[in-house]
Amino acid sequence: MRAVAAGYLTGVAVGEAAHGLARIADTTPVANWWALAAAGVVLLAWIAGRHLDGSRLRLIAAAATVVVAAGLWAVFGLA
């Protein structure tokens, strides 16, 4: 459960950053989106290193990050 929660939180940050970079970067500062993406990746690394024991849980957290980010990308693309 901890791995999925970590992936959800960081996936939202990475998905939001990807949306910002790809779809609205011409109207907003690009540095903000890069900072958000970096924050999501750093947070995932910190949570995985500090709170997740074993490579299996770390892989689940990374996969959850990708799934949530892709889902957010898809939902924002509909709007």
Side-chain angles (χ1 to χ4, degrees):
M1 196 59 132
R2 289 179 295 162
V4 174
Y8 180 79
L9 176 64
T10 57
V12 169
V14 171
E16 177 79 18
H19 167 70
L21 285 168
R23 295 189 175 129
I24 58 174
D26 55 342
T27 61
T28 58
V30 177
N32 292 347
W33 303 117
W34 283 113
L36 182 59
V41 171
V42 167
L43 183 61
L44 177 62
W46 181 76
I47 291 172
R50 182 141 177 130
H51 298 287
L52 300 178
D53 301 326
S55 59
R56 182 171 180 252
L57 290 178
R58 291 175 182 146
L59 183 62
I60 291 170
T65 299
V66 171
V67 168
V68 170
L72 198 64
W73 170 272
V75 169
F76 279 165
L78 297 175

